[in-house]
Amino acid sequence: MPGKIIRKHYRRARYVLYRETLIDAKEHILTFIGSFVGIGLIGLLNSQYLVANDNLFLIGSFGASSVLIYGIINSPLAQPRNLIGGHVISAIIGVTILKLFPSELWFAGALAVSLSIVAMQITKTLHPPGGATALIAVTGGAKIKAMGYLYVFSPVFTGVMILFLVALVFNNMRHRKYPAKPIFKRRRIH
């Protein structure tokens, strides 16, 4: 009888717990190394070219992206199109809104995030950290605001490309597969 009750509760627990939480230690190690190398490379780039307290390359939304692209790699939100497109689109929107409404930060922040979400939905590039990228463009420090559209290229695009390239390497070790679908499809020659 106790064995039957334990099996019943085990089955319920499997339905309640998200499958990704049931991965082995080797998966955790790859996740750790991938995210450490990705964020570390961006931080190293930042420290080599800027004063340590500037942190222009190391924006907060990259931490959230790391959770997706190294931790739950099969999620549609973690795929390359979403990672790159979501950040770049949101950065463009954030900078544009800041230029249009520089003195009303509460309004500019809300508008930048909201427009970014809708733009990502329309372009099928939804990546939740993209909303933070738009907000950082509006509420970031004076140096980030002074960058204007350069913010889109660096730190956003260059940082996202570093994260993506590291994800390609570490997420394709062992039995992992990233991206979920091939980026380039082979054409069949008849």
Side-chain angles (χ1 to χ4, degrees), residues 68-140:
L68 291 170
I69 66 171
Y70 303 116
I72 49 174
I73 65 174
N74 293 324
S75 168
L77 304 175
Q79 300 310 303
R81 173 187 175 97
N82 299 64
L83 170 70
I84 298 165
H87 276 291
V88 170
I89 288 168
S90 297
I92 292 168
I93 290 171
V95 172
T96 302
I97 296 302
L98 177 64
K99 289 188 174 296
L100 293 173
F101 305 101
S103 59
E104 297 295 330
L105 288 184
W106 70 269
F107 179 76
L111 186 60
V113 171
S114 301
L115 287 175
S116 292
I117 294 168
V118 172
M120 288 186 287
Q121 287 175 326
I122 290 169
T123 60
K124 295 181 179 20
T125 58
L126 192 62
H127 186 68
T133 298
L135 189 59
I136 291 166
V138 172
T139 63

Side-chain angles (χ1 to χ4, degrees), residues 35-100:
S35 62
F36 183 86
V37 170
I39 295 294
L41 281 173
I42 296 169
L44 181 64
L45 180 67
N46 186 76
S47 69
Q48 293 298 313
Y49 295 103
L50 300 168
V51 178
N53 61 359
D54 283 344
N55 287 332
L56 292 179
F57 288 108
L58 203 53
I59 60 175
S61 56
F62 290 163
S65 290
S66 293
V67 172
L68 291 170
I69 66 171
Y70 303 116
I72 49 174
I73 65 174
N74 293 324
S75 168
L77 304 175
Q79 300 310 303
R81 173 187 175 97
N82 299 64
L83 170 70
I84 298 165
H87 276 291
V88 170
I89 288 168
S90 297
I92 292 168
I93 290 171
V95 172
T96 302
I97 296 302
L98 177 64
K99 289 188 174 296
L100 293 173

